[in-house]
Amino acid sequence: DQQVKQNSPSLSVQEGRISILNCDYTNSMFDYFLWYKKYPAEGPTFLISISSIKDKNEDGRFTVFLNKSAKHLSLHIVPSQPGDSAVYFCAASDLRGGADGLTFGKGTHLIIQP
Amino acid sequence: DAGVIQSPRHEVTEMGQEVTLRCKPISGHDYLFWYRQTMMRGLELLIYFNNNVPIDDSGMPEDRFSAKMPNASFSTLKIQPSEPRDSAVYFCASRFGRQGFDEPQHFGDGTRLSIL
């Protein structure tokens, strides 16, 4: 059973436009959510996170939104740039419950078209 | 800043051989995690340590897998004997566990393991 789901394996967006990546989760104990970006032959790189006590967190061009009632989070990238082309992973953990390991979605391959 | 360092980057070996993967976490980080990435299952947690003590090894697939953390700056993941289905990319990550603060995990670049 997949506790973290990214239903879009790939997404193509024009340069300069907004990219919206979505993630759904089923475990209501998750209280910390992260987005990672991954280039080929490299490890995942931390992008942005959000605690369950918040519903929005911004860092430059990146904003993460959390809707706890819907068990849904999204990552907005605006404006999208060619260097944003990568695989994006959504991840979650139950830190307050002492489960520090991350549960990952399968990833969304974002392609920024020039 | 030195990140998480994994070695080797690539390993090709024959079925039945012992494989040892190595990880050096970021200095000062007290949590260390081992993950495996496959096409079928994606990224999955194998085991993690806090202050060199294994906390959760429920993700370790079989007794053929073992992990150790003899000190704060070194960990190994060993597979003995190795099988073709163990072929995957193995990632190590570390995190600073500050009480009351959510801290992200930082990943190494992985070891690509191929068992022939």
Side-chain angles (χ1 to χ4, degrees), chain A residues 25 27-34 49-54 66 68 91-102, chain B residues 102:
Chain A
Y25 62 96
N27 187 343
S28 57
M29 299 303 292
F30 287 147
D31 55 15
Y32 184 48
F33 304 88
L34 309 91
S49 64
I50 188 166
S51 167
S52 59
I53 61 173
K54 297 183 178 179
L66 175 63
K68 287 188 292 293
S93 66
D94 172 16
L95 286 186
R96 304 295 178 264
D100 297 272
L102 293 174
Chain B
D102 299 331

PDB file of all heavy atoms in Angstrom, chain A residues 25 27-34 49-54 66 68 91-102, chain B residues 102:
ATOM      1  N   TYR A  25      -1.475  11.782   0.438  1.00  0.00           N
ATOM      2  CA  TYR A  25      -1.012  10.816   1.422  1.00  0.00           C
ATOM      3  C   TYR A  25      -2.211  10.207   2.150  1.00  0.00           C
ATOM      4  O   TYR A  25      -3.302  10.762   2.165  1.00  0.00           O
ATOM      5  CB  TYR A  25      -0.023  11.449   2.405  1.00  0.00           C
ATOM      6  CG  TYR A  25      -0.578  12.574   3.245  1.00  0.00           C
ATOM      7  CD1 TYR A  25      -1.059  12.351   4.531  1.00  0.00           C
ATOM      8  CD2 TYR A  25      -0.604  13.883   2.757  1.00  0.00           C
ATOM      9  CE1 TYR A  25      -1.550  13.384   5.305  1.00  0.00           C
ATOM     10  CE2 TYR A  25      -1.095  14.923   3.515  1.00  0.00           C
ATOM     11  CZ  TYR A  25      -1.568  14.673   4.799  1.00  0.00           C
ATOM     12  OH  TYR A  25      -2.052  15.708   5.565  1.00  0.00           O
ATOM     13  N   ASN A  27      -1.649   8.360   5.371  1.00  0.00           N
ATOM     14  CA  ASN A  27      -1.375   8.186   6.790  1.00  0.00           C
ATOM     15  C   ASN A  27      -1.606   9.495   7.542  1.00  0.00           C
ATOM     16  O   ASN A  27      -0.855  10.453   7.386  1.00  0.00           O
ATOM     17  CB  ASN A  27       0.073   7.720   6.970  1.00  0.00           C
ATOM     18  CG  ASN A  27       0.398   7.338   8.403  1.00  0.00           C
ATOM     19  OD1 ASN A  27      -0.318   7.697   9.329  1.00  0.00           O
ATOM     20  ND2 ASN A  27       1.497   6.623   8.581  1.00  0.00           N
ATOM     21  N   SER A  28      -2.636   9.546   8.384  1.00  0.00           N
ATOM     22  CA  SER A  28      -2.973  10.779   9.094  1.00  0.00           C
ATOM     23  C   SER A  28      -1.956  11.116  10.192  1.00  0.00           C
ATOM     24  O   SER A  28      -2.011  12.197  10.784  1.00  0.00           O
ATOM     25  CB  SER A  28      -4.372  10.674   9.701  1.00  0.00           C
ATOM     26  OG  SER A  28      -4.440   9.555  10.558  1.00  0.00           O
ATOM     27  N   MET A  29      -1.035  10.202  10.470  1.00  0.00           N
ATOM     28  CA  MET A  29      -0.010  10.470  11.484  1.00  0.00           C
ATOM     29  C   MET A  29       1.152  11.286  10.928  1.00  0.00           C
ATOM     30  O   MET A  29       1.981  11.791  11.676  1.00  0.00           O
ATOM     31  CB  MET A  29       0.526   9.161  12.055  1.00  0.00           C
ATOM     32  CG  MET A  29      -0.520   8.308  12.748  1.00  0.00           C
ATOM     33  SD  MET A  29      -1.333   9.201  14.081  1.00  0.00           S
ATOM     34  CE  MET A  29       0.022   9.362  15.244  1.00  0.00           C
ATOM     35  N   PHE A  30       1.242  11.401   9.613  1.00  0.00           N
ATOM     36  CA  PHE A  30       2.323  12.193   9.027  1.00  0.00           C
ATOM     37  C   PHE A  30       2.202  13.643   9.491  1.00  0.00           C
ATOM     38  O   PHE A  30       1.122  14.235   9.460  1.00  0.00           O
ATOM     39  CB  PHE A  30       2.276  12.154   7.504  1.00  0.00           C
ATOM     40  CG  PHE A  30       2.716  10.851   6.895  1.00  0.00           C
ATOM     41  CD1 PHE A  30       2.146  10.400   5.718  1.00  0.00           C
ATOM     42  CD2 PHE A  30       3.720  10.083   7.470  1.00  0.00           C
ATOM     43  CE1 PHE A  30       2.545   9.200   5.129  1.00  0.00           C
ATOM     44  CE2 PHE A  30       4.127   8.891   6.903  1.00  0.00           C
ATOM     45  CZ  PHE A  30       3.533   8.442   5.730  1.00  0.00           C
ATOM     46  N   ASP A  31       3.335  14.219   9.948  1.00  0.00           N
ATOM     47  CA  ASP A  31       3.295  15.583  10.449  1.00  0.00           C
ATOM     48  C   ASP A  31       4.394  16.469   9.858  1.00  0.00           C
ATOM     49  O   ASP A  31       4.536  17.628  10.243  1.00  0.00           O
ATOM     50  CB  ASP A  31       3.368  15.604  11.976  1.00  0.00           C
ATOM     51  CG  ASP A  31       4.573  14.857  12.516  1.00  0.00           C
ATOM     52  OD1 ASP A  31       5.510  14.569  11.741  1.00  0.00           O
ATOM     53  OD2 ASP A  31       4.582  14.549  13.724  1.00  0.00           O
ATOM     54  N   TYR A  32       5.190  15.916   8.984  1.00  0.00           N
ATOM     55  CA  TYR A  32       6.273  16.682   8.386  1.00  0.00           C
ATOM     56  C   TYR A  32       6.399  16.231   6.942  1.00  0.00           C
ATOM     57  O   TYR A  32       6.502  15.019   6.667  1.00  0.00           O
ATOM     58  CB  TYR A  32       7.567  16.418   9.155  1.00  0.00           C
ATOM     59  CG  TYR A  32       8.773  17.212   8.712  1.00  0.00           C
ATOM     60  CD1 TYR A  32       8.711  18.591   8.509  1.00  0.00           C
ATOM     61  CD2 TYR A  32      10.005  16.590   8.551  1.00  0.00           C
ATOM     62  CE1 TYR A  32       9.828  19.307   8.134  1.00  0.00           C
ATOM     63  CE2 TYR A  32      11.126  17.311   8.167  1.00  0.00           C
ATOM     64  CZ  TYR A  32      11.033  18.665   7.966  1.00  0.00           C
ATOM     65  OH  TYR A  32      12.136  19.384   7.602  1.00  0.00           O
ATOM     66  N   PHE A  33       6.374  17.202   6.027  1.00  0.00           N
ATOM     67  CA  PHE A  33       6.331  16.896   4.600  1.00  0.00           C
ATOM     68  C   PHE A  33       7.450  17.653   3.893  1.00  0.00           C
ATOM     69  O   PHE A  33       7.740  18.809   4.233  1.00  0.00           O
ATOM     70  CB  PHE A  33       4.975  17.296   4.004  1.00  0.00           C
ATOM     71  CG  PHE A  33       3.809  16.657   4.705  1.00  0.00           C
ATOM     72  CD1 PHE A  33       3.226  17.268   5.806  1.00  0.00           C
ATOM     73  CD2 PHE A  33       3.309  15.441   4.272  1.00  0.00           C
ATOM     74  CE1 PHE A  33       2.160  16.677   6.469  1.00  0.00           C
ATOM     75  CE2 PHE A  33       2.246  14.840   4.921  1.00  0.00           C
ATOM     76  CZ  PHE A  33       1.674  15.463   6.022  1.00  0.00           C
ATOM     77  N   LEU A  34       8.065  16.984   2.940  1.00  0.00           N
ATOM     78  CA  LEU A  34       9.210  17.577   2.254  1.00  0.00           C
ATOM     79  C   LEU A  34       9.093  17.344   0.754  1.00  0.00           C
ATOM     80  O   LEU A  34       8.483  16.368   0.302  1.00  0.00           O
ATOM     81  CB  LEU A  34      10.519  16.935   2.736  1.00  0.00           C
ATOM     82  CG  LEU A  34      10.780  16.852   4.235  1.00  0.00           C
ATOM     83  CD1 LEU A  34      10.255  15.552   4.807  1.00  0.00           C
ATOM     84  CD2 LEU A  34      12.261  16.986   4.535  1.00  0.00           C
ATOM     85  N   SER A  49      10.168  22.291   2.883  1.00  0.00           N
ATOM     86  CA  SER A  49       9.388  21.419   3.750  1.00  0.00           C
ATOM     87  C   SER A  49       8.258  22.202   4.392  1.00  0.00           C
ATOM     88  O   SER A  49       8.215  23.444   4.334  1.00  0.00           O
ATOM     89  CB  SER A  49      10.280  20.819   4.831  1.00  0.00           C
ATOM     90  OG  SER A  49      10.787  21.836   5.681  1.00  0.00           O
ATOM     91  N   ILE A  50       7.352  21.462   5.023  1.00  0.00           N
ATOM     92  CA  ILE A  50       6.259  22.095   5.747  1.00  0.00           C
ATOM     93  C   ILE A  50       5.848  21.196   6.899  1.00  0.00           C
ATOM     94  O   ILE A  50       5.763  19.966   6.746  1.00  0.00           O
ATOM     95  CB  ILE A  50       5.071  22.410   4.803  1.00  0.00           C
ATOM     96  CG1 ILE A  50       4.014  23.240   5.533  1.00  0.00           C
ATOM     97  CG2 ILE A  50       4.452  21.133   4.225  1.00  0.00           C
ATOM     98  CD1 ILE A  50       2.982  23.867   4.604  1.00  0.00           C
ATOM     99  N   SER A  51       5.627  21.814   8.035  1.00  0.00           N
ATOM    100  CA  SER A  51       5.124  21.091   9.192  1.00  0.00           C
ATOM    101  C   SER A  51       3.598  21.063   9.135  1.00  0.00           C
ATOM    102  O   SER A  51       2.985  21.954   8.554  1.00  0.00           O
ATOM    103  CB  SER A  51       5.585  21.811  10.465  1.00  0.00           C
ATOM    104  OG  SER A  51       4.886  21.339  11.589  1.00  0.00           O
ATOM    105  N   SER A  52       3.011  20.078   9.782  1.00  0.00           N
ATOM    106  CA  SER A  52       1.554  19.933   9.736  1.00  0.00           C
ATOM    107  C   SER A  52       0.816  21.055  10.469  1.00  0.00           C
ATOM    108  O   SER A  52      -0.397  21.185  10.346  1.00  0.00           O
ATOM    109  CB  SER A  52       1.126  18.580  10.307  1.00  0.00           C
ATOM    110  OG  SER A  52       1.572  18.452  11.638  1.00  0.00           O
ATOM    111  N   ILE A  53       1.550  21.884  11.218  1.00  0.00           N
ATOM    112  CA  ILE A  53       0.878  22.991  11.914  1.00  0.00           C
ATOM    113  C   ILE A  53       0.707  24.202  10.991  1.00  0.00           C
ATOM    114  O   ILE A  53       0.068  25.184  11.358  1.00  0.00           O
ATOM    115  CB  ILE A  53       1.641  23.412  13.190  1.00  0.00           C
ATOM    116  CG1 ILE A  53       3.046  23.906  12.857  1.00  0.00           C
ATOM    117  CG2 ILE A  53       1.675  22.268  14.178  1.00  0.00           C
ATOM    118  CD1 ILE A  53       3.778  24.483  14.071  1.00  0.00           C
ATOM    119  N   LYS A  54       1.291  24.112   9.797  1.00  0.00           N
ATOM    120  CA  LYS A  54       1.168  25.203   8.830  1.00  0.00           C
ATOM    121  C   LYS A  54       0.382  24.733   7.612  1.00  0.00           C
ATOM    122  O   LYS A  54       0.210  23.535   7.392  1.00  0.00           O
ATOM    123  CB  LYS A  54       2.549  25.674   8.383  1.00  0.00           C
ATOM    124  CG  LYS A  54       3.407  26.251   9.493  1.00  0.00           C
ATOM    125  CD  LYS A  54       4.718  26.753   8.927  1.00  0.00           C
ATOM    126  CE  LYS A  54       5.570  27.385  10.009  1.00  0.00           C
ATOM    127  NZ  LYS A  54       6.866  27.851   9.468  1.00  0.00           N
ATOM    128  N   LEU A  66      -0.235  22.838   2.077  1.00  0.00           N
ATOM    129  CA  LEU A  66      -0.696  21.621   2.729  1.00  0.00           C
ATOM    130  C   LEU A  66      -2.180  21.740   3.070  1.00  0.00           C
ATOM    131  O   LEU A  66      -2.584  22.685   3.737  1.00  0.00           O
ATOM    132  CB  LEU A  66       0.112  21.346   4.006  1.00  0.00           C
ATOM    133  CG  LEU A  66      -0.326  20.171   4.866  1.00  0.00           C
ATOM    134  CD1 LEU A  66      -0.187  18.860   4.100  1.00  0.00           C
ATOM    135  CD2 LEU A  66       0.474  20.126   6.160  1.00  0.00           C
ATOM    136  N   LYS A  68      -4.589  19.543   5.078  1.00  0.00           N
ATOM    137  CA  LYS A  68      -4.636  18.354   5.936  1.00  0.00           C
ATOM    138  C   LYS A  68      -5.952  17.604   5.810  1.00  0.00           C
ATOM    139  O   LYS A  68      -5.984  16.376   5.868  1.00  0.00           O
ATOM    140  CB  LYS A  68      -4.389  18.740   7.394  1.00  0.00           C
ATOM    141  CG  LYS A  68      -2.939  19.109   7.675  1.00  0.00           C
ATOM    142  CD  LYS A  68      -2.682  19.294   9.162  1.00  0.00           C
ATOM    143  CE  LYS A  68      -3.376  20.513   9.721  1.00  0.00           C
ATOM    144  NZ  LYS A  68      -2.811  21.772   9.174  1.00  0.00           N
ATOM    145  N   ALA A  91       7.784  13.601   0.106  1.00  0.00           N
ATOM    146  CA  ALA A  91       8.117  12.671   1.184  1.00  0.00           C
ATOM    147  C   ALA A  91       7.431  13.109   2.467  1.00  0.00           C
ATOM    148  O   ALA A  91       7.116  14.299   2.639  1.00  0.00           O
ATOM    149  CB  ALA A  91       9.634  12.598   1.392  1.00  0.00           C
ATOM    150  N   ALA A  92       7.214  12.166   3.370  1.00  0.00           N
ATOM    151  CA  ALA A  92       6.523  12.472   4.614  1.00  0.00           C
ATOM    152  C   ALA A  92       7.083  11.628   5.746  1.00  0.00           C
ATOM    153  O   ALA A  92       7.620  10.538   5.517  1.00  0.00           O
ATOM    154  CB  ALA A  92       5.024  12.215   4.465  1.00  0.00           C
ATOM    155  N   SER A  93       6.944  12.150   6.970  1.00  0.00           N
ATOM    156  CA  SER A  93       7.346  11.369   8.138  1.00  0.00           C
ATOM    157  C   SER A  93       6.461  11.708   9.316  1.00  0.00           C
ATOM    158  O   SER A  93       5.773  12.734   9.335  1.00  0.00           O
ATOM    159  CB  SER A  93       8.816  11.596   8.486  1.00  0.00           C
ATOM    160  OG  SER A  93       9.022  12.916   8.906  1.00  0.00           O
ATOM    161  N   ASP A  94       6.493  10.835  10.304  1.00  0.00           N
ATOM    162  CA  ASP A  94       5.738  11.005  11.550  1.00  0.00           C
ATOM    163  C   ASP A  94       6.741  11.303  12.647  1.00  0.00           C
ATOM    164  O   ASP A  94       7.091  10.433  13.442  1.00  0.00           O
ATOM    165  CB  ASP A  94       4.947   9.716  11.823  1.00  0.00           C
ATOM    166  CG  ASP A  94       4.274   9.712  13.182  1.00  0.00           C
ATOM    167  OD1 ASP A  94       4.149  10.791  13.799  1.00  0.00           O
ATOM    168  OD2 ASP A  94       3.877   8.623  13.632  1.00  0.00           O
ATOM    169  N   LEU A  95       7.248  12.548  12.662  1.00  0.00           N
ATOM    170  CA  LEU A  95       8.320  12.897  13.593  1.00  0.00           C
ATOM    171  C   LEU A  95       7.858  12.854  15.047  1.00  0.00           C
ATOM    172  O   LEU A  95       8.575  12.364  15.916  1.00  0.00           O
ATOM    173  CB  LEU A  95       8.869  14.287  13.276  1.00  0.00           C
ATOM    174  CG  LEU A  95       9.755  14.434  12.036  1.00  0.00           C
ATOM    175  CD1 LEU A  95      10.325  15.840  11.966  1.00  0.00           C
ATOM    176  CD2 LEU A  95      10.872  13.401  12.018  1.00  0.00           C
ATOM    177  N   ARG A  96       6.655  13.349  15.326  1.00  0.00           N
ATOM    178  CA  ARG A  96       6.184  13.388  16.705  1.00  0.00           C
ATOM    179  C   ARG A  96       5.981  11.970  17.239  1.00  0.00           C
ATOM    180  O   ARG A  96       6.076  11.728  18.444  1.00  0.00           O
ATOM    181  CB  ARG A  96       4.859  14.168  16.801  1.00  0.00           C
ATOM    182  CG  ARG A  96       4.922  15.575  16.246  1.00  0.00           C
ATOM    183  CD  ARG A  96       5.849  16.496  17.026  1.00  0.00           C
ATOM    184  NE  ARG A  96       5.894  17.820  16.406  1.00  0.00           N
ATOM    185  CZ  ARG A  96       6.859  18.187  15.540  1.00  0.00           C
ATOM    186  NH1 ARG A  96       7.815  17.349  15.217  1.00  0.00           N
ATOM    187  NH2 ARG A  96       6.842  19.389  15.015  1.00  0.00           N
ATOM    188  N   GLY A  97       5.692  11.040  16.325  1.00  0.00           N
ATOM    189  CA  GLY A  97       5.502   9.654  16.720  1.00  0.00           C
ATOM    190  C   GLY A  97       6.782   8.860  16.776  1.00  0.00           C
ATOM    191  O   GLY A  97       6.776   7.664  17.033  1.00  0.00           O
ATOM    192  N   GLY A  98       7.912   9.557  16.496  1.00  0.00           N
ATOM    193  CA  GLY A  98       9.203   8.891  16.570  1.00  0.00           C
ATOM    194  C   GLY A  98       9.565   8.077  15.349  1.00  0.00           C
ATOM    195  O   GLY A  98      10.541   7.322  15.383  1.00  0.00           O
ATOM    196  N   ALA A  99       8.805   8.206  14.276  1.00  0.00           N
ATOM    197  CA  ALA A  99       9.140   7.488  13.033  1.00  0.00           C
ATOM    198  C   ALA A  99       9.873   8.469  12.124  1.00  0.00           C
ATOM    199  O   ALA A  99       9.266   9.200  11.355  1.00  0.00           O
ATOM    200  CB  ALA A  99       7.877   6.959  12.364  1.00  0.00           C
ATOM    201  N   ASP A 100      11.191   8.476  12.242  1.00  0.00           N
ATOM    202  CA  ASP A 100      11.970   9.505  11.575  1.00  0.00           C
ATOM    203  C   ASP A 100      12.269   9.225  10.115  1.00  0.00           C
ATOM    204  O   ASP A 100      12.703  10.127   9.400  1.00  0.00           O
ATOM    205  CB  ASP A 100      13.299   9.687  12.324  1.00  0.00           C
ATOM    206  CG  ASP A 100      13.082  10.184  13.742  1.00  0.00           C
ATOM    207  OD1 ASP A 100      13.021  11.409  13.918  1.00  0.00           O
ATOM    208  OD2 ASP A 100      12.952   9.346  14.645  1.00  0.00           O
ATOM    209  N   GLY A 101      12.071   8.002   9.680  1.00  0.00           N
ATOM    210  CA  GLY A 101      12.343   7.684   8.282  1.00  0.00           C
ATOM    211  C   GLY A 101      11.319   8.331   7.375  1.00  0.00           C
ATOM    212  O   GLY A 101      10.186   8.604   7.782  1.00  0.00           O
ATOM    213  N   LEU A 102      11.723   8.610   6.145  1.00  0.00           N
ATOM    214  CA  LEU A 102      10.844   9.236   5.175  1.00  0.00           C
ATOM    215  C   LEU A 102      10.141   8.184   4.331  1.00  0.00           C
ATOM    216  O   LEU A 102      10.738   7.187   3.937  1.00  0.00           O
ATOM    217  CB  LEU A 102      11.632  10.167   4.251  1.00  0.00           C
ATOM    218  CG  LEU A 102      12.231  11.416   4.904  1.00  0.00           C
ATOM    219  CD1 LEU A 102      13.102  12.157   3.904  1.00  0.00           C
ATOM    220  CD2 LEU A 102      11.143  12.315   5.439  1.00  0.00           C
TER     221      LEU A 102
ATOM    222  N   ASP B 102      11.848  20.637  13.058  1.00  0.00           N
ATOM    223  CA  ASP B 102      11.829  19.706  11.939  1.00  0.00           C
ATOM    224  C   ASP B 102      13.017  20.002  11.042  1.00  0.00           C
ATOM    225  O   ASP B 102      13.161  21.118  10.559  1.00  0.00           O
ATOM    226  CB  ASP B 102      10.526  19.862  11.141  1.00  0.00           C
ATOM    227  CG  ASP B 102       9.304  19.563  11.990  1.00  0.00           C
ATOM    228  OD1 ASP B 102       9.431  18.752  12.929  1.00  0.00           O
ATOM    229  OD2 ASP B 102       8.238  20.132  11.708  1.00  0.00           O
TER     230      ASP B 102
END
